[in-house]
Amino acid sequence: MGSSSRPKPGRPPTQTERELFLGIIEKFKAWRQSQREGKISRAAKTAKNPKAIREDRWAALEVLVDADDPAHSVPALLQRFEFSLENGIADAKEKELAVSGITKFGDKAVPMVMEHLVTTTRIAWPIKILRALGSEPLVLDGLKKALNFGETTFDQAQTDKNYDLLCHLIEHKLGSFARDLRRFLEDPDERVRFAAAEVMIEQNDSDLVPMLEGFLMDPTVENIRIRQAVLRAFVERQWTLTQPERIPNGEVIPGVYVTGAKTLAVRGQHS
């Protein structure tokens, strides 16, 4: 074949043609993104619906788990922990699937889980997720941030949440943060008061002793559990009383008295 019959190379595209082509590409990308976001949005609605057909909800969770954008999928997956199914096995499987979709993002998921822990009243699974994502200091940070120091008297869900959080905090050393828990010693809910006292007792910190000492002189039925716990702590840990003169006749209860060293002892067990 002669050189004259060879096809001539095509001319380079003009600026207008290049811009048109790039515009088409951008529109296609935007359309694809819109499709993905729409799919995730529909999946999110189904995943958080306890009345949805089980198979549909499972499929929706799988869509969210497979998504590659934590900003869209993690908050949606966290909503699955806001309800429980009557079928405990099915409920656990769905939640475990949701956990896998969150923890795969590692550190990127942490801020969203932290934020959810602050706003939700169902804390068990978010705490499990934090443990899976990091160390105990991370869990402790989440527990501290989730405590509600405001007025919760007329909000039973928030009161229950504070109680649950305090029960988790018993396992941790809190340093100076433990002093902030004094507010909960005056909570209207006895469970919250008791849990707060237990947390402070477990710190074994002399700076907290004055906050607990008042319960030794509190014979009310409302605080009987707290008084018993505080009394036992004073005897076992040999804490020094700051105001021993407030104890009538130097005896907290029959058989438990104030020693010369301003500690408490059980009569017959200590000299």
Side-chain angles (χ1 to χ4, degrees), residues 109-152:
V110 169
M112 288 171 278
V113 179
M114 285 283 201
E115 182 180 353
H116 183 75
L117 187 57
V118 170
T119 58
T120 186
T121 57
R122 294 173 174 262
I123 66 172
W125 282 89
I127 290 174
K128 287 181 182 180
I129 294 170
L130 281 182
R131 283 201 168 96
L133 288 171
S135 60
E136 281 303 305
L138 179 67
V139 176
L140 176 57
D141 189 37
L143 294 172
K144 288 157 61 174
K145 288 179 178 177
L147 271 173
N148 187 339
F149 284 86
E151 178 58 59
T152 62

Side-chain angles (χ1 to χ4, degrees), residues 187-236:
D187 196 275
D189 191 290
E190 187 272 344
R191 298 171 307 140
V192 173
R193 296 196 303 276
F194 180 74
E198 288 278 271
V199 174
M200 296 172 79
I201 288 169
E202 288 304 310
Q203 303 307 301
N204 201 17
D205 182 348
S206 59
D207 289 342
L208 303 178
V209 170
M211 301 180 192
L212 297 167
E213 188 172 331
F215 287 106
L216 295 174
M217 285 72 77
D218 183 354
T220 60
V221 175
E222 292 79 6
N223 286 324
I224 189 170
R225 282 205 307 163
I226 304 173
R227 188 189 193 199
Q228 291 172 346
V230 171
L231 178 59
R232 183 168 56 251
F234 267 87
V235 171
E236 294 177 353

Side-chain angles (χ1 to χ4, degrees), residues 16-270:
T16 301
E17 290 172 332
R18 282 198 296 270
E19 291 176 353
L20 178 62
F21 177 73
L22 291 175
I24 293 172
I25 294 297
E26 288 302 315
K27 286 183 179 179
F28 178 74
K29 289 181 178 179
W31 177 81
R32 288 288 300 273
Q33 180 65 22
S34 175
Q35 290 292 101
R36 283 195 295 269
E37 291 179 359
K39 186 177 182 180
I40 290 175
S41 178
R42 291 189 295 273
K45 290 180 181 179
T46 303
K48 69 178 183 179
N49 182 4
K51 296 182 180 179
I53 297 172
R54 187 181 304 172
E55 290 75 15
D56 291 346
R57 192 171 50 247
W58 183 270
L61 288 169
E62 288 184 321
V63 168
L64 296 172
V65 168
D66 292 338
D68 55 7
D69 184 355
H72 288 98
S73 62
V74 171
L77 287 168
L78 285 167
Q79 292 303 310
R80 178 56 190 86
F81 306 113
E82 291 299 290
F83 65 91
S84 298
L85 303 175
E86 290 185 8
N87 186 322
I89 296 176
D91 185 66
K93 286 183 178 179
E94 288 186 14
K95 287 175 177 174
E96 288 166 1
L97 178 61
V99 169
S100 70
I102 295 170
T103 55
K104 77 173 186 178
F105 291 110
D107 292 343
K108 292 180 180 179
V110 169
M112 288 171 278
V113 179
M114 285 283 201
E115 182 180 353
H116 183 75
L117 187 57
V118 170
T119 58
T120 186
T121 57
R122 294 173 174 262
I123 66 172
W125 282 89
I127 290 174
K128 287 181 182 180
I129 294 170
L130 281 182
R131 283 201 168 96
L133 288 171
S135 60
E136 281 303 305
L138 179 67
V139 176
L140 176 57
D141 189 37
L143 294 172
K144 288 157 61 174
K145 288 179 178 177
L147 271 173
N148 187 339
F149 284 86
E151 178 58 59
T152 62
T153 303
F154 302 106
D155 190 335
Q156 191 59 49
Q158 285 297 322
T159 297
D160 292 344
K161 178 181 178 179
N162 276 342
Y163 170 69
D164 291 340
L165 289 166
L166 288 166
C167 288
H168 282 283
L169 284 171
I170 291 174
E171 306 170 7
H172 300 272
K173 292 297 181 183
L174 305 181
S176 61
F177 181 79
R179 299 187 189 97
D180 297 337
L181 301 183
R182 183 172 189 169
R183 167 258 182 270
F184 297 108
L185 294 177
E186 301 172 356
D187 196 275
D189 191 290
E190 187 272 344
R191 298 171 307 140
V192 173
R193 296 196 303 276
F194 180 74
E198 288 278 271
V199 174
M200 296 172 79
I201 288 169
E202 288 304 310
Q203 303 307 301
N204 201 17
D205 182 348
S206 59
D207 289 342
L208 303 178
V209 170
M211 301 180 192
L212 297 167
E213 188 172 331
F215 287 106
L216 295 174
M217 285 72 77
D218 183 354
T220 60
V221 175
E222 292 79 6
N223 286 324
I224 189 170
R225 282 205 307 163
I226 304 173
R227 188 189 193 199
Q228 291 172 346
V230 171
L231 178 59
R232 183 168 56 251
F234 267 87
V235 171
E236 294 177 353
R237 300 170 190 264
Q238 286 296 281
W239 287 340
T240 302
L241 293 161
T242 62
Q243 294 180 299
E245 68 279 0
R246 292 183 61 196
I247 298 177
N249 302 317
E251 195 170 58
V252 184
I253 60 173
V256 179
Y257 66 97
V258 180
T259 70
K262 299 181 180 180
T263 59
L264 294 183
V266 178
R267 199 173 300 281
Q269 294 184 6
H270 296 77

